[in-house]
Amino acid sequence: MLSKKIRKLLSTTVIWLFIIFALFFFLFPIYWIIQMAFKTNVDISAFPPKFLFAPTMDNFAYVFSGVQPYTRYLLNSILVSLGVTIFTLIISALAGYSLSRHQTKATRGLIFSILISRALPAVTIAIPMYLTFRNIGLLGTRTAIILAHLSFILPMSVWITKSFFDHIPIEIEEAAKVDGADIWYTFFRIALPLARPGLISAGILSMIFSWNEFLFSLVLSNSNTRTMSVAVASFAGSVSLDWGRMCAAAVITITPMIIFTFLMQRYLVRGLLGGAVKG
Amino acid sequence: MKPISRSFLAKKNTSLGAGQLVKNQETFAYRLFLIPLILVLVSVTLYPLLYNVYISLTDLQLTKPYRGIPFVGLENYAKLFSSSHFYATLTNTLLMVVGSVALQFLLGLALALLLNRSLRGFGVVRTLLLLPMVVTPTVAALTWSLMYNPSHGVLRYFLSVLGLQSPQWLSDPSLALFSIILVDVWEWTPFTMLLILSELHSVPADVYEAAQIDGASGLQILTKITIPLIKPLIGVVLLIRTMDTFKVFEKIYVLTGGGPGAATETLMFSAYRQAFGLFKMGYAASISLILLVIVLSLNALMLKATQTK
């Protein structure tokens, strides 16, 4: 009896050691960039690295001081991801409902093309988009970035909302129809409220994917409409040694994503994994 | 009830006619609901895709606007298939995809098997493990580039604690691609792990109990029971990760820019560099289409393989 208990304790300990090691591997880089944002450049370039140091807010103060237009980049990221999310939610609520409730040969073709579009490399779309937007004068605008983001976020979101509508029992809607409700009432007053978790999942994912997107935002923006994701990457090629400021900008970029993850983890897991599996 | 005047409805009795009318109205609404999606998909996916096919048949170079858009037929493709650089980027792409997906899968499977029991506090662990995939990829790449730094990077410190010499992670041509793979593995292993774990949870516990009573060893249970049961999901995971790894871009852009030399230049990065570095749009378009064809055909192959089993 006792030996069984000890064995169980031992195996639990070993498992936890592995988990701790894995957590260290996956989380250390995130901890590392965050702590760097609070270091001076001297502390950052110290070797061996300083694990204990006097934190400074100077890097963040610089980022928000307006010497370089970070606040504008931040605003661009917010406007683009909000725009993408609003368009995505409206379009995918309508389309997801239709695809879930009314399947014909033509709509099955549409579902197939949604699945295919997941395989599209961004660069395949970015080349013609760049040329088209240049011709019609949209190059370098946030509208161009929003449209480009829709090309990969919309199919994903339609897929998630469709699968949520699939899980709402159709009997509820049929009962309403027997009572005389028309399609508009059924959709707006019955199906849509029931699918709210799905819409929240799709919305959060749209926002995260748009915020994090890089290639489209890089080639379709200019120095005024650049998003944070692009601003952070532009440090990479530069010879500047302003690591602290760079890390502060990076930390500002990921903070909303981290907050989202903790607040919305239930929806996020369902969207990230559920939306992926049902493919 | 209003009388229905149209002849084809008037032939039926009124209540059926009204039902038909409701049905028509519904079908109309369902079609209407699809219009925004179709409009957007046609303009941001279908049209660009077709336009890209056309560009790939031209020698459009934005640095030479005076030449217009000369139509050259399949010349870009001929040039590609006779260029050793193209085969080098193809090899890099395949190495990266195979290496990264294999590591993500094996690590994810191992972790999922370890975590497949009810542990207190696992909810928090799962949330924390989501972080690598939701953190902005350019920030992740930047972080790793600081950690890889050969003079003051923290990886050099960790290795020195173990008494090891730190390699030139990003400037050694034989190591640079692996350094990029490592970042990709860091970012996506939690994804494969969480997916496999959620599938493992759906295997009823008595299946394992029965096997244990029959005297099956741990390894036997794994290869004879667990793996076959989660096989369909493994197919999906591999499919998704393979498709996405072909498209890795930020990490290469931030960490190496395709270098040293062309040691980390993949098809994806090559298409980007030709289009937006050298502005050879026609040539770039043909690379991007070859990439698309490879991804789509692998996609179809793997889908078929997982469906038949």
Side-chain angles (χ1 to χ4, degrees):
Chain A
M1 199 66 202
L2 189 71
S3 80
K4 208 174 171 186
K5 235 179 180 172
I6 290 174
R7 258 178 62 185
K8 192 161 185 318
L9 194 73
L10 207 70
S11 79
T12 314
T13 318
V14 171
I15 290 164
W16 272 107
L17 278 178
F18 271 108
I19 295 174
I20 288 165
F21 182 76
L23 273 182
F24 179 78
F25 173 64
F26 292 117
L27 296 179
F28 178 79
I30 296 168
Y31 160 73
W32 200 242
I33 186 91
I34 294 174
Q35 59 95 37
M36 275 202 187
F38 294 96
K39 276 180 173 173
T40 60
N41 279 333
V42 177
D43 280 348
I44 289 175
S45 53
F47 192 89
K50 285 191 178 168
F51 289 90
L52 291 172
F53 58 93
T56 165
M57 290 301 286
D58 287 357
N59 299 321
F60 289 96
Y62 175 83
V63 167
F64 286 113
S65 70
V67 178
Q68 278 178 44
Y70 287 108
T71 40
R72 180 194 298 251
Y73 302 153
L74 199 58
L75 185 70
N76 290 335
S77 277
I78 293 169
L79 289 175
V80 167
S81 58
L82 277 181
V84 169
T85 307
I86 290 168
F87 277 116
T88 301
L89 280 183
I90 295 171
I91 297 171
S92 52
L94 292 168
Y97 184 66
S98 171
L99 290 173
S100 169
R101 293 291 182 259
H102 182 72
Q103 288 206 1
T104 62
K105 258 201 179 113
T107 55
R108 271 194 286 274
L110 192 61
I111 292 173
F112 182 69
S113 66
I114 286 173
L115 289 178
I116 290 274
S117 67
R118 200 175 184 303
L120 277 180
V123 73
T124 317
I125 299 293
I127 293 170
M129 269 194 175
Y130 176 86
L131 295 170
T132 306
F133 286 142
R134 210 172 66 126
N135 286 340
I136 60 178
L138 271 181
L139 190 63
T141 63
R142 286 182 292 254
T143 312
I145 305 174
I146 291 175
L147 285 171
H149 284 185
L150 286 179
S151 73
F152 72 100
I153 291 176
L154 193 55
M156 172 204 74
S157 163
V158 170
W159 191 252
I160 293 174
T161 41
K162 176 192 170 294
S163 70
F164 268 86
F165 281 122
D166 285 343
H167 283 103
I168 299 173
I170 196 151
E171 288 77 18
I172 303 175
E173 288 163 46
E174 273 164 1
K177 278 176 193 162
V178 169
D179 290 344
D182 63 5
I183 172 88
W184 308 102
Y185 186 91
T186 323
F187 174 65
F188 284 108
R189 292 298 176 82
I190 298 168
L192 212 51
L194 286 173
R196 211 172 63 182
L199 292 173
I200 296 175
S201 289
I204 293 166
L205 280 182
S206 305
M207 196 165 275
I208 291 179
F209 278 101
S210 174
W211 185 276
N212 285 349
E213 201 283 330
F214 177 60
L215 198 150
F216 287 123
S217 313
L218 173 72
V219 302
L220 300 177
S221 67
N222 60 27
S223 52
N224 281 326
T225 51
R226 179 176 288 179
T227 59
M228 282 305 272
S229 173
V230 177
V232 167
S234 67
F235 280 116
S238 72
V239 285
S240 104
L241 299 178
D242 261 337
W243 289 303
R245 292 163 179 179
M246 167 173 104
C247 294
V251 167
I252 291 166
T253 310
I254 60 172
T255 303
M257 301 298 103
I258 294 177
I259 292 173
F260 260 160
T261 310
F262 280 97
L263 288 183
M264 304 285 185
Q265 63 111 348
R266 192 161 60 97
Y267 296 106
L268 199 62
V269 172
R270 279 166 90 173
L272 264 180
L273 306 186
V277 178
K278 278 161 202 144
Chain B
M1 199 167 284
K2 271 203 242 167
I4 292 151
S5 56
R6 274 186 283 175
S7 60
F8 71 96
L9 284 177
K11 276 178 198 157
K12 300 169 184 168
N13 71 51
T14 21
S15 72
L16 194 71
Q20 187 63 41
L21 206 64
V22 169
K23 204 93 212 134
N24 283 344
Q25 193 203 4
E26 270 181 28
T27 313
F28 172 73
Y30 286 137
R31 287 189 185 145
L32 196 70
F33 283 4
L34 286 179
I35 289 175
L37 174 70
I38 293 172
L39 279 179
V40 174
L41 284 186
V42 166
S43 51
V44 301
T45 308
L46 188 64
Y47 168 72
L49 202 57
L50 295 176
Y51 189 24
N52 197 27
V53 174
Y54 167 70
I55 300 164
S56 80
L57 303 174
T58 70
D59 187 24
L60 173 59
Q61 299 192 24
L62 296 184
T63 46
K64 299 172 184 166
Y66 49 87
R67 290 170 64 228
I69 309 180
F71 189 83
V72 294
L74 294 173
E75 206 176 274
N76 286 321
Y77 295 94
K79 235 195 311 184
L80 261 181
F81 288 121
S82 61
S83 128
S84 61
H85 183 253
F86 170 71
Y87 292 105
T89 56
L90 186 63
T91 312
N92 288 340
T93 310
L94 296 177
L95 276 176
M96 185 178 72
V97 170
V98 172
S100 186
V101 174
L103 279 174
Q104 284 167 41
F105 173 69
L106 292 176
L107 257 175
L109 180 66
L111 278 169
L113 289 170
L114 269 179
L115 289 168
N116 186 28
R117 54 205 88 206
S118 44
L119 290 166
R120 282 204 303 147
F122 180 66
V124 184
V125 172
R126 190 181 64 178
T127 309
L128 289 171
L129 284 175
L130 291 175
L131 287 177
M133 359 172 188
V134 294
V135 157
T136 309
T138 51
V139 171
L142 189 77
T143 307
W144 279 88
S145 84
L146 288 167
M147 289 176 26
Y148 279 144
N149 187 301
S151 63
H152 58 79
V154 71
L155 285 180
R156 183 187 159 198
Y157 171 73
F158 285 147
L159 288 174
S160 74
V161 169
L162 299 172
L164 295 169
Q165 191 77 36
S166 179
Q168 299 283 328
W169 293 100
L170 299 172
S171 49
D172 179 346
S174 57
L175 193 65
L177 194 64
F178 173 77
S179 303
I180 287 182
I181 290 175
L182 187 61
V183 183
D184 202 45
V185 169
W186 171 79
E187 190 176 338
W188 290 108
T189 301
F191 175 82
T192 63
M193 189 214 98
L194 290 171
L195 271 181
I196 295 171
L197 193 58
S198 70
E199 189 74 358
L200 287 177
H201 280 320
S202 67
V203 177
D206 47 359
V207 174
Y208 296 117
E209 278 161 24
Q212 267 170 346
I213 290 166
D214 290 346
S217 70
L219 190 69
Q220 275 174 325
I221 293 180
L222 175 67
T223 54
K224 296 273 162 65
I225 297 173
T226 313
I227 302 272
L229 276 174
I230 61 168
K231 210 166 189 172
L233 177 99
I234 291 178
V236 175
V237 169
L238 290 179
L239 181 74
I240 294 173
R241 291 310 313 139
T242 305
M243 276 188 324
D244 285 354
T245 314
F246 270 100
K247 300 187 276 186
V248 164
F249 178 70
E250 296 91 345
K251 297 172 193 93
I252 301 174
Y253 182 94
V254 171
L255 286 165
T256 62
T264 56
E265 191 167 326
T266 58
L267 286 178
M268 179 81 184
F269 196 81
S270 178
Y272 164 80
R273 201 174 62 89
Q274 294 289 340
F276 301 105
L278 305 171
F279 291 104
K280 292 182 178 167
M281 303 316 247
Y283 194 61
S286 65
I287 301 175
S288 78
L289 282 175
I290 286 174
L291 176 63
L292 175 64
V293 168
I294 294 175
V295 177
L296 277 183
S297 40
L298 275 179
N299 189 350
L301 265 179
M302 289 178 81
L303 210 61
K304 219 173 164 184
T306 51
Q307 270 170 356
T308 48
K309 271 166 196 164

